[in-house]
């Protein structure tokens, strides 16, 4: 029996994959995209597993569905899927989705060069530049981001004590800056990031309470952001973001950059209006900026923006047949 057929546009944002699913959408119940995310998780998560994991995807795979808007002001809505789950927000996913959708004519903006998008974490304002049919860059004003926990010590067996911050930029991030037991990103590399991140995330989850004060469905630490010295002279910082079970973001990570800027702003290291060029583990860059200050419940917060680019890499049609023993994906850990 055929389970489903999904047309997709594959792309990457600064090196990290984005699979925009253009047909086969489940009919989601709910008034907001947060409601629809919960319905997807409860009844349709097999689609995420089938499209993101092997043999149709891989450990770094990330994707999205484009839906009609939930609010009158919005042009469209996005549901984010990846190997780590159905996310409240994804910055690189937004940039890739907007690029692929505009180039394919799937979105018709009310105002050229501008979009409003409903996502599970809230609403995004997006600007873009398009020439000769291709999108040159996308800049999104993200949802309000804040520092949730400051300078918490985690005892990591086999590694030692790490002093970390936890910040929210659409997802919750453990942020590890260079210190005694972590010499910095360029001194570790991917192997050690993959080795220690699951343990750091697990200990942080057990130690720290992370629930969004305005939406209790957004909770739990999903990502670990390791910082270090950048490769490029025009970058202000570098990072490697760990997510899922063994994935490192190839892009500078949009929600991670938002969380990083919220952390730096809260500590007086980044001013309102200041730009922050953030570099990924492969050297690609996002241009971040603290656009304004605001509040999230009891927390002082920032309104961050992120600018990056994406490129379409291909089109495909994916079939999921439940006669296939690997219909719903697998990982080799």
């Amino acid at each position: 029996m055929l389970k489903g057929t999904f047309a997709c546009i594959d792309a990457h944002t600064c090196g990290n994959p984005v699979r925009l699913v253009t047909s086969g959408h489940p009919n989601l119940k709910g008034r907001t995209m947060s409601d629809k995310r919960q319905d997807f998780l409860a009844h349709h998560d097999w689609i995420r597993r089938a499209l993101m994991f092997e043999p149709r995807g891989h450990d770094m795979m990330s994707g999205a569905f484009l839906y009609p808007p939930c609010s009158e002001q919005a042009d469209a809505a996005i549901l984010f899927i990846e190997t780590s789950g159905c996310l409240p927000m994804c910055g690189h996913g937004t940039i890739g989705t907007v690029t692929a959708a505009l180039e394919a004519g799937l979105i018709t903006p009310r105002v050229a060069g501008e979009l409003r998008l409903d996502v599970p974490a809230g609403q995004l304002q997006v600007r873009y530049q398009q020439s000769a049919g291709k999108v040159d860059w996308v800049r999104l004003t993200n949802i309000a981001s804040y520092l949730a926990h400051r300078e918490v010590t985690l005892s990591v067996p086999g590694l030692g004590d790490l002093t970390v911050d936890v910040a929210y930029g659409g997802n919750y991030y453990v942020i590890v800056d260079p210190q005694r037991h972590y010499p910095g990103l360029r001194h570790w590399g991917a192997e050690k990031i993959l080795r220690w991140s699951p343990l750091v995330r697990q200990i942080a989850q057990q130690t720290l309470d992370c629930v969004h004060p305005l939406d209790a469905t957004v909770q739990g630490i999903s990502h670990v952001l390791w910082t270090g010295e950048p490769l490029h002279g025009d970058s202000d910082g570098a990072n490697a973001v760990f997510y899922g079970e063994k994935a490192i973001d190839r892009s500078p990570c949009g929600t991670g950059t938002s969380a990083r800027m919220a952390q730096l702003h809260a500590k007086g290291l980044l001013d309102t209006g200041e730009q922050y060029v953030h570099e990924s583990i492969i050297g690609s860059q996002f241009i971040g900026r603290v656009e304004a200050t605001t509040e999230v419940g009891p927390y002082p917060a920032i309104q961050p923006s992120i600018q990056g680019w994406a490129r379409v890499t291909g089109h495909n049609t994916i079939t999921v047949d439940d006669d296939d023993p690997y219909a719903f994906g697998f990982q080799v850990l």
Side-chain angles (χ1 to χ4, degrees):
M1 175 182 176
L2 188 68
K3 193 71 176 180
T5 300
F6 304 87
C8 305
I9 303 173
D10 281 351
H12 74 89
T13 301
C14 291
N16 214 52
V18 180
R19 173 169 284 167
L20 175 59
V21 186
T22 60
S23 71
H25 297 52
N27 183 22
L28 299 178
K29 299 178 181 178
R31 183 179 60 85
T32 67
M33 285 309 295
S34 180
D35 295 338
K36 293 177 187 295
R37 172 177 174 256
Q38 295 306 308
D39 186 59
F40 182 91
L41 285 167
H43 302 108
H44 307 285
D45 198 50
W46 67 267
I47 299 174
R48 177 188 68 86
R49 290 183 280 114
L51 298 184
M52 297 293 101
F53 289 107
E54 294 184 67
R56 299 163 195 83
H58 50 76
D59 290 310
M60 270 60 66
M61 183 56 74
S62 180
F65 289 92
L66 201 62
Y67 278 94
C70 298
S71 59
E72 291 184 3
Q73 318 96 298
D75 297 279
I78 304 176
L79 183 79
F80 302 105
I81 56 174
E82 64 172 47
T83 52
S84 68
C86 181
L87 299 180
M89 174 55 193
C90 183
H92 99 273
T94 300
I95 293 169
T97 296
V98 166
T99 298
L102 285 171
E103 291 182 2
L106 301 177
I107 301 179
T108 303
R110 301 182 189 192
V111 179
E114 299 181 14
L115 290 169
R116 284 181 181 265
L117 300 172
D118 292 324
V119 300
Q123 190 174 91
L124 309 178
Q125 295 182 6
V126 174
R127 292 182 181 273
Y128 64 90
Q129 178 176 289
Q130 189 170 12
S131 55
K134 289 192 174 182
V135 175
D136 303 313
W137 52 261
V138 175
R139 183 171 74 243
L140 64 102
T141 300
N142 197 8
I143 45 83
S145 304
Y146 69 96
L147 182 63
H149 296 281
R150 182 192 294 254
E151 296 176 5
V152 177
T153 298
L154 304 179
S155 295
V156 183
L159 182 61
D161 289 348
L162 290 178
T163 299
V164 305
D165 296 314
V166 176
Y168 175 79
N171 303 290
Y172 284 101
Y173 286 78
V174 178
I175 301 177
V176 190
D177 287 309
Q179 54 194 277
R180 180 184 175 190
H181 294 123
Y182 168 58
L185 179 60
R186 301 307 164 198
H187 299 281
W188 263 27
E191 182 181 354
K192 288 189 175 181
I193 297 295
L194 292 172
R195 177 183 177 187
W196 293 110
S197 292
L199 187 55
V200 169
R201 181 175 61 187
Q202 178 185 3
I203 294 170
Q205 280 275 48
Q206 295 169 349
T207 306
L208 303 171
D209 184 39
C210 290
V211 180
H212 195 282
L214 305 181
D215 185 351
T217 67
V218 179
Q219 58 178 291
I221 296 167
S222 52
H223 296 63
V224 183
L225 189 156
W226 304 83
T227 78
E229 292 295 319
L231 294 172
H232 302 301
D234 60 346
S235 295
D236 297 300
N239 83 101
V241 165
F242 172 85
Y243 63 96
E245 297 302 320
K246 55 176 182 177
I248 297 177
D249 200 326
R250 273 58 171 160
S251 84
C253 188
T255 57
T257 300
S258 299
R260 177 64 163 161
M261 290 194 294
Q263 175 213 26
L264 293 174
H265 186 271
K267 293 189 168 188
L269 301 174
L270 189 66
D271 293 334
T272 304
E274 190 172 353
Q275 180 173 286
Y276 187 77
V277 179
H278 210 194
E279 187 179 290
S280 74
I281 195 169
I282 65 170
S284 56
Q285 296 169 313
F286 281 166
I287 302 172
R289 184 181 295 111
V290 178
E291 299 291 349
T293 57
T294 184
E295 295 179 348
V296 176
Y299 299 97
I302 65 167
Q303 204 81 53
S305 69
I306 306 295
Q307 180 174 317
W309 54 267
R311 297 291 183 269
V312 171
T313 58
H315 297 70
N316 62 43
T317 300
I318 297 176
T319 299
V320 181
D321 186 336
D322 59 9
D323 286 338
D324 179 353
Y326 303 120
F328 307 120
F330 65 85
Q331 278 185 297
V332 179
L333 298 179

